[in-house]
Amino acid sequence: VGRILAALDAAGLAEDTLVIYTSDHGDNLGARTLWGKSNMYDESAGVPLVLRGPGIDRGRVATPVSLVDAHPTILAANGVEAHADDADLPGQSLLSDVDPARTAFSEYHAVGSNVGGYMLRKGKWKYHYYVGLPPELFDLEADPEETTDLAKDPAYSATLAGMEAELRKICDPDAVDQLAKTDQASLIEKHGGRDKALLVGAPGATPPPKSSA
């Protein structure tokens, strides 16, 4: 990345080029005795995002952002008006003033989880909702490693209820989870049933070497 930025500087393009550095989400890698990325803790759900370009001040911004912000940001950087069909998309250009109290949202329905998982970030609060399981609530200012779940503490019942209300403004988590399961069942049936579907695509891990004996 440093070489790319240096090349832009050398070519005199740095002043009118927006650089967005981001990636897929992370992995637990043994944190909390978990391995994988099918939960909403930050080491799994967090995504890096670094911007450099005209009008962007150096420094770290605490406002939660999301990958859905990339689309409107790229349009704005190129002076392109959003299409009418994009009016209902949830992202916001990061080149404009973004509300620090905005809600960032994530959901998961895939491998490694037998229930839908949802995450909200709003200010210092982080909320996890797994269908059919107790919710989790963390104060990221006091507890950035998410080691103290406040959801069971009566002192935070109003915050917990407020975060669930914010989630339900976005979606009905139970209904969306059921829709995902219905779609997954349809795909499994399309590929000939569970046993055949398990053979579709790349394997989930490197197979062990064959014995030479």
Side-chain angles (χ1 to χ4, degrees):
V1 174
R3 291 171 64 189
I4 293 171
L5 297 180
L8 288 172
D9 293 338
L13 298 173
E15 294 304 315
D16 61 359
T17 301
L18 173 65
V19 177
I20 302 176
Y21 173 87
T22 188
S23 79
D24 195 0
H25 54 79
D27 200 306
N28 285 102
L29 296 178
R32 309 168 205 273
T33 70
L34 298 173
W35 190 270
K37 45 194 175 183
S38 53
N39 59 77
M40 292 301 179
Y41 296 116
D42 259 13
E43 63 267 15
S44 171
V47 173
L49 181 64
V50 180
L51 271 64
R52 193 192 83 160
I56 298 175
D57 296 329
R58 182 187 296 270
R60 183 169 183 170
V61 179
T63 301
V65 296
S66 171
L67 288 177
V68 297
D69 297 321
H71 172 68
T73 300
I74 292 169
L75 292 183
N78 288 280
V80 177
E81 291 290 332
H83 193 276
D85 291 344
D86 295 346
D88 294 332
L89 294 181
Q92 182 177 349
S93 170
L94 301 178
L95 303 180
S96 60
D97 292 329
V98 181
D99 181 4
R102 72 185 303 217
T103 298
F105 169 73
S106 181
E107 64 180 302
Y108 186 84
H109 303 278
V111 176
S113 179
N114 60 353
V115 298
Y118 304 84
M119 181 278 292
L120 290 187
R121 274 286 310 276
K122 188 174 179 65
K124 69 176 184 176
W125 300 109
K126 187 155 180 282
Y127 173 74
H128 301 165
Y129 183 102
Y130 300 99
V131 174
L133 298 170
E136 295 179 313
L137 178 69
F138 301 98
D139 178 346
L140 294 183
E141 287 183 1
D143 178 29
E145 298 297 322
E146 301 169 88
T147 60
T148 303
D149 178 13
L150 303 173
K152 296 180 181 179
D153 188 333
Y156 297 93
S157 58
T159 301
L160 185 69
M163 294 299 281
E164 180 173 352
E166 287 291 322
L167 171 61
R168 293 186 180 277
K169 288 179 184 178
I170 298 171
C171 71
D172 179 335
D174 302 84
V176 171
D177 178 50
Q178 187 55 56
L179 177 61
K181 286 181 169 60
T182 300
D183 286 347
Q184 290 164 355
S186 176
L187 282 171
I188 290 170
E189 183 66 23
K190 177 181 177 181
H191 287 288
R194 181 179 183 277
D195 291 341
K196 288 187 177 180
L198 287 172
L199 301 176
V200 174
T206 303
K210 293 182 178 180
S211 171
S212 59

